[in-house]
Short mmCIF file of all heavy atoms in Angstrom, two decimals:
data_model
loop_
_atom_site.label_atom_id
_atom_site.label_comp_id
_atom_site.label_asym_id
_atom_site.label_seq_id
_atom_site.Cartn_x
_atom_site.Cartn_y
_atom_site.Cartn_z
N ARG X 1 106.34 110.42 14.78
CA ARG X 1 105.67 109.15 14.39
C ARG X 1 105.18 108.28 15.63
O ARG X 1 104.78 107.16 15.38
CB ARG X 1 106.40 108.19 13.48
CG ARG X 1 106.71 108.94 12.09
CD ARG X 1 107.73 108.32 11.31
NE ARG X 1 107.74 108.81 10.04
CZ ARG X 1 108.19 110.11 9.59
NH1 ARG X 1 108.68 110.85 10.48
NH2 ARG X 1 107.94 110.37 8.29
N GLY X 2 105.42 108.74 16.88
CA GLY X 2 105.13 108.15 18.01
C GLY X 2 106.10 107.18 18.58
O GLY X 2 105.92 106.45 19.46
N HIS X 3 107.35 107.13 18.01
CA HIS X 3 108.49 106.33 18.40
C HIS X 3 109.42 107.27 19.21
O HIS X 3 109.31 108.49 19.25
CB HIS X 3 109.31 105.69 17.24
CG HIS X 3 108.49 105.07 16.33
ND1 HIS X 3 107.60 103.98 16.62
CD2 HIS X 3 108.19 105.35 15.02
CE1 HIS X 3 107.18 103.50 15.54
NE2 HIS X 3 107.45 104.27 14.43
N GLY X 4 110.17 106.73 20.14
CA GLY X 4 111.11 107.62 20.95
C GLY X 4 110.50 108.32 22.05
O GLY X 4 109.30 107.94 22.43
N GLY X 5 111.06 109.26 22.56
CA GLY X 5 110.64 109.98 23.78
C GLY X 5 109.54 110.95 23.38
O GLY X 5 109.64 111.78 22.33
N GLY X 6 108.66 111.31 24.35
CA GLY X 6 107.75 112.40 24.29
C GLY X 6 106.16 112.02 24.23
O GLY X 6 105.45 112.74 24.71
N GLY X 7 105.92 110.86 23.65
CA GLY X 7 104.67 110.34 23.62
C GLY X 7 103.66 111.32 22.87
O GLY X 7 103.87 111.95 21.99
N ALA X 8 102.58 111.46 23.49
CA ALA X 8 101.33 112.22 22.97
C ALA X 8 101.59 113.77 23.14
O ALA X 8 100.90 114.52 22.47
CB ALA X 8 100.10 111.81 23.63
N ASN X 9 102.63 114.22 23.88
CA ASN X 9 102.93 115.62 24.07
C ASN X 9 103.60 116.12 22.76
O ASN X 9 103.58 117.43 22.65
CB ASN X 9 103.80 115.80 25.34
CG ASN X 9 103.12 115.70 26.49
OD1 ASN X 9 101.96 116.00 26.64
ND2 ASN X 9 103.86 115.07 27.58
N VAL X 10 104.21 115.27 22.04
CA VAL X 10 105.07 115.83 20.86
C VAL X 10 104.15 116.71 19.84
O VAL X 10 103.20 116.14 19.35
CB VAL X 10 105.76 114.67 20.23
CG1 VAL X 10 106.57 115.24 19.04
CG2 VAL X 10 106.81 114.02 21.21
N LEU X 11 104.55 117.82 19.47
CA LEU X 11 104.01 118.52 18.51
C LEU X 11 104.58 118.25 17.19
O LEU X 11 105.77 118.14 17.06
CB LEU X 11 104.12 120.16 18.77
CG LEU X 11 103.24 120.60 19.87
CD1 LEU X 11 103.68 122.18 20.13
CD2 LEU X 11 101.69 120.80 19.30
N THR X 12 103.78 118.25 16.13
CA THR X 12 104.24 117.98 14.72
C THR X 12 103.57 119.07 13.77
O THR X 12 102.80 119.90 14.25
CB THR X 12 104.01 116.58 14.31
OG1 THR X 12 102.53 116.45 13.92
CG2 THR X 12 104.27 115.59 15.30
N TYR X 13 103.91 118.95 12.56
CA TYR X 13 103.42 119.76 11.44
C TYR X 13 101.92 119.77 11.48
O TYR X 13 101.18 120.61 11.03
CB TYR X 13 103.97 119.56 10.20
CG TYR X 13 103.59 118.27 9.48
CD1 TYR X 13 102.46 118.28 8.64
CD2 TYR X 13 104.29 117.07 9.69
CE1 TYR X 13 101.97 117.09 8.20
CE2 TYR X 13 103.82 115.89 9.17
CZ TYR X 13 102.66 115.85 8.37
OH TYR X 13 102.21 114.72 7.80
N LYS X 14 101.42 118.66 12.01
CA LYS X 14 99.96 118.37 11.83
C LYS X 14 99.10 119.39 12.88
O LYS X 14 97.94 119.46 12.72
CB LYS X 14 99.60 116.93 12.09
CG LYS X 14 100.20 116.05 11.24
CD LYS X 14 99.77 114.59 11.40
CE LYS X 14 100.45 113.65 10.39
NZ LYS X 14 100.03 112.27 10.44
N GLU X 15 99.84 119.98 13.78
CA GLU X 15 99.26 121.02 14.68
C GLU X 15 99.87 122.19 14.41
O GLU X 15 100.61 122.70 15.22
CB GLU X 15 99.31 120.64 16.25
CG GLU X 15 98.63 119.31 16.58
CD GLU X 15 99.60 118.09 16.39
OE1 GLU X 15 100.84 118.23 16.44
OE2 GLU X 15 99.13 116.79 16.27
N SER X 16 99.62 122.81 13.23
CA SER X 16 100.48 123.75 12.70
C SER X 16 100.76 125.02 13.45
O SER X 16 101.78 125.58 13.74
CB SER X 16 100.19 124.19 11.20
OG SER X 16 98.86 124.64 11.14
N LYS X 17 99.59 125.57 14.11
CA LYS X 17 99.68 126.75 14.80
C LYS X 17 100.59 126.61 16.07
O LYS X 17 101.43 127.42 16.35
CB LYS X 17 98.23 127.37 15.21
CG LYS X 17 98.25 128.73 16.01
CD LYS X 17 96.93 129.29 16.23
CE LYS X 17 96.96 130.50 16.93
NZ LYS X 17 95.61 131.09 17.14
N GLN X 18 100.26 125.58 16.93
CA GLN X 18 101.10 125.49 18.20
C GLN X 18 102.50 125.01 17.68
O GLN X 18 103.51 125.32 18.43
CB GLN X 18 100.40 124.31 18.85
CG GLN X 18 99.21 124.75 19.78
CD GLN X 18 98.05 125.25 18.95
OE1 GLN X 18 97.57 124.48 17.88
NE2 GLN X 18 97.34 126.21 19.39
N TYR X 19 102.67 124.23 16.71
CA TYR X 19 104.07 123.88 16.16
C TYR X 19 104.83 125.19 15.95
O TYR X 19 106.00 125.18 16.32
CB TYR X 19 103.95 122.99 14.95
CG TYR X 19 105.12 122.38 14.57
CD1 TYR X 19 105.71 121.26 15.22
CD2 TYR X 19 105.94 122.94 13.53
CE1 TYR X 19 106.89 120.68 14.82
CE2 TYR X 19 107.20 122.50 13.08
CZ TYR X 19 107.61 121.22 13.76
OH TYR X 19 108.89 120.73 13.46
N LYS X 20 104.24 125.95 15.19
CA LYS X 20 104.98 127.24 14.84
C LYS X 20 105.30 128.12 16.05
O LYS X 20 106.38 128.73 16.13
CB LYS X 20 104.18 128.07 13.81
CG LYS X 20 104.28 127.48 12.42
CD LYS X 20 103.37 128.32 11.38
CE LYS X 20 101.94 128.14 11.56
NZ LYS X 20 101.20 128.77 10.54
N MET X 21 104.37 128.08 16.97
CA MET X 21 104.61 128.79 18.21
C MET X 21 105.72 128.18 19.03
O MET X 21 106.66 128.86 19.52
CB MET X 21 103.42 128.91 19.13
CG MET X 21 102.17 129.72 18.56
SD MET X 21 100.68 129.44 19.49
CE MET X 21 101.13 130.40 20.99
N ALA X 22 105.72 126.95 19.14
CA ALA X 22 106.84 126.07 19.86
C ALA X 22 108.13 126.48 19.23
O ALA X 22 109.23 126.63 19.81
CB ALA X 22 106.42 124.63 19.95
N THR X 23 108.20 126.31 17.95
CA THR X 23 109.46 126.65 17.17
C THR X 23 109.90 128.03 17.30
O THR X 23 111.13 128.30 17.45
CB THR X 23 109.13 126.16 15.68
OG1 THR X 23 108.76 124.83 15.52
CG2 THR X 23 110.46 126.27 14.84
N ALA X 24 108.94 128.90 17.27
CA ALA X 24 109.40 130.31 17.41
C ALA X 24 109.99 130.61 18.86
O ALA X 24 111.01 131.29 19.06
CB ALA X 24 108.15 131.28 17.33
N PHE X 25 109.40 129.95 19.84
CA PHE X 25 109.93 129.99 21.18
C PHE X 25 111.44 129.33 21.24
O PHE X 25 112.28 130.00 21.74
CB PHE X 25 109.04 129.39 22.18
CG PHE X 25 109.63 129.42 23.62
CD1 PHE X 25 109.27 130.53 24.30
CD2 PHE X 25 110.47 128.43 24.15
CE1 PHE X 25 109.87 130.64 25.69
CE2 PHE X 25 110.95 128.52 25.51
CZ PHE X 25 110.66 129.58 26.20
N LYS X 26 111.46 128.27 20.64
CA LYS X 26 112.85 127.60 20.55
C LYS X 26 113.86 128.57 19.95
O LYS X 26 115.08 128.69 20.45
CB LYS X 26 112.73 126.23 19.74
CG LYS X 26 114.11 125.53 19.59
CD LYS X 26 113.95 124.26 18.81
CE LYS X 26 113.62 124.57 17.42
NZ LYS X 26 113.52 123.42 16.49
N LEU X 27 113.46 129.03 18.78
CA LEU X 27 114.52 129.93 18.08
C LEU X 27 114.71 131.34 18.74
O LEU X 27 115.72 131.95 18.54
CB LEU X 27 114.01 130.11 16.62
CG LEU X 27 114.11 128.79 15.82
CD1 LEU X 27 113.35 129.02 14.46
CD2 LEU X 27 115.49 128.53 15.53
N ALA X 28 113.76 131.79 19.52
CA ALA X 28 113.97 133.06 20.22
C ALA X 28 114.72 132.97 21.45
O ALA X 28 115.35 133.84 21.98
CB ALA X 28 112.51 133.66 20.42
N HIS X 29 114.64 131.73 22.01
CA HIS X 29 115.30 131.60 23.38
C HIS X 29 116.77 131.11 23.09
O HIS X 29 117.08 130.32 22.31
CB HIS X 29 114.44 130.49 24.14
CG HIS X 29 114.76 130.43 25.61
ND1 HIS X 29 115.89 129.76 26.14
CD2 HIS X 29 114.09 130.97 26.70
CE1 HIS X 29 115.84 129.85 27.39
NE2 HIS X 29 114.71 130.70 27.79
N PRO X 30 117.59 131.44 24.10
CA PRO X 30 119.05 131.23 23.75
C PRO X 30 119.60 129.85 24.05
O PRO X 30 120.65 129.37 23.88
CB PRO X 30 119.78 132.20 24.83
CG PRO X 30 118.77 132.47 25.84
CD PRO X 30 117.51 132.46 25.14
N PHE X 31 118.51 128.91 24.71
CA PHE X 31 119.01 127.75 25.25
C PHE X 31 119.25 126.57 24.16
O PHE X 31 118.27 126.42 23.25
CB PHE X 31 118.01 127.09 26.29
CG PHE X 31 118.38 125.79 26.83
CD1 PHE X 31 119.16 125.73 27.94
CD2 PHE X 31 117.97 124.47 26.27
CE1 PHE X 31 119.55 124.54 28.48
CE2 PHE X 31 118.38 123.37 26.72
CZ PHE X 31 119.13 123.34 27.98
N GLY X 32 120.31 125.96 24.13
CA GLY X 32 120.52 124.75 23.33
C GLY X 32 121.02 124.97 21.95
O GLY X 32 121.13 126.21 21.48
N ILE X 33 121.59 123.99 21.32
CA ILE X 33 121.91 123.96 19.82
C ILE X 33 120.73 123.54 19.11
O ILE X 33 120.10 122.28 19.33
CB ILE X 33 123.07 123.02 19.69
CG1 ILE X 33 124.33 123.51 20.44
CG2 ILE X 33 123.36 122.89 18.05
CD1 ILE X 33 125.44 122.51 20.42
N LYS X 34 120.16 124.18 18.20
CA LYS X 34 118.81 124.18 17.73
C LYS X 34 118.82 123.31 16.43
O LYS X 34 119.51 123.66 15.44
CB LYS X 34 118.30 125.43 17.61
CG LYS X 34 118.14 126.15 18.91
CD LYS X 34 117.81 127.73 18.71
CE LYS X 34 117.73 128.46 19.99
NZ LYS X 34 119.01 128.35 20.68
N ARG X 35 117.88 122.27 16.29
CA ARG X 35 117.65 121.58 15.09
C ARG X 35 116.11 121.76 14.84
O ARG X 35 115.21 121.70 15.66
CB ARG X 35 118.04 120.20 15.30
CG ARG X 35 117.78 119.34 14.01
CD ARG X 35 118.29 117.76 14.29
NE ARG X 35 117.34 117.19 15.24
CZ ARG X 35 117.58 116.03 15.77
NH1 ARG X 35 118.79 115.34 15.70
NH2 ARG X 35 116.70 115.54 16.67
N LEU X 36 115.83 121.85 13.46
CA LEU X 36 114.61 122.01 13.02
C LEU X 36 114.17 120.70 12.19
O LEU X 36 115.13 120.08 11.52
CB LEU X 36 114.36 123.18 12.12
CG LEU X 36 114.62 124.49 12.84
CD1 LEU X 36 116.03 125.16 12.42
CD2 LEU X 36 113.48 125.53 12.62
N MET X 37 112.93 120.39 12.23
CA MET X 37 112.57 119.28 11.34
C MET X 37 111.91 119.68 10.15
O MET X 37 111.09 120.73 9.97
CB MET X 37 111.54 118.37 12.16
CG MET X 37 111.01 117.11 11.61
SD MET X 37 112.35 115.94 11.53
CE MET X 37 111.73 114.87 10.15
N SER X 38 112.36 118.97 8.91
CA SER X 38 111.63 119.22 7.70
C SER X 38 111.10 117.87 7.17
O SER X 38 111.91 117.00 6.87
CB SER X 38 112.50 119.87 6.64
OG SER X 38 111.89 120.18 5.44
N SER X 39 109.73 117.80 7.20
CA SER X 39 109.19 116.44 7.10
C SER X 39 108.59 116.22 5.66
O SER X 39 108.40 117.07 4.87
CB SER X 39 107.93 116.34 8.03
OG SER X 39 108.33 116.85 9.32
N PHE X 40 108.11 114.97 5.47
CA PHE X 40 107.20 114.59 4.31
C PHE X 40 105.96 114.28 5.04
O PHE X 40 106.02 113.81 6.15
CB PHE X 40 107.78 113.54 3.44
CG PHE X 40 108.16 112.31 4.03
CD1 PHE X 40 107.16 111.27 4.47
CD2 PHE X 40 109.46 111.99 4.50
CE1 PHE X 40 107.42 110.19 5.15
CE2 PHE X 40 109.79 110.75 4.98
CZ PHE X 40 108.88 109.79 5.40
N ALA X 41 104.87 114.43 4.35
CA ALA X 41 103.47 114.14 4.90
C ALA X 41 103.34 112.70 5.10
O ALA X 41 103.83 111.82 4.28
CB ALA X 41 102.43 114.65 4.00
#
């Protein structure tokens, strides 16, 4: 929603193709403890 860190770089469900790519990379890569967002419109 534009609050917190990341600014205009942050991907959301509104850019669905790139969002799914970024999420796929996150889940395929071993780094970190992973959290996914489940939003309302």
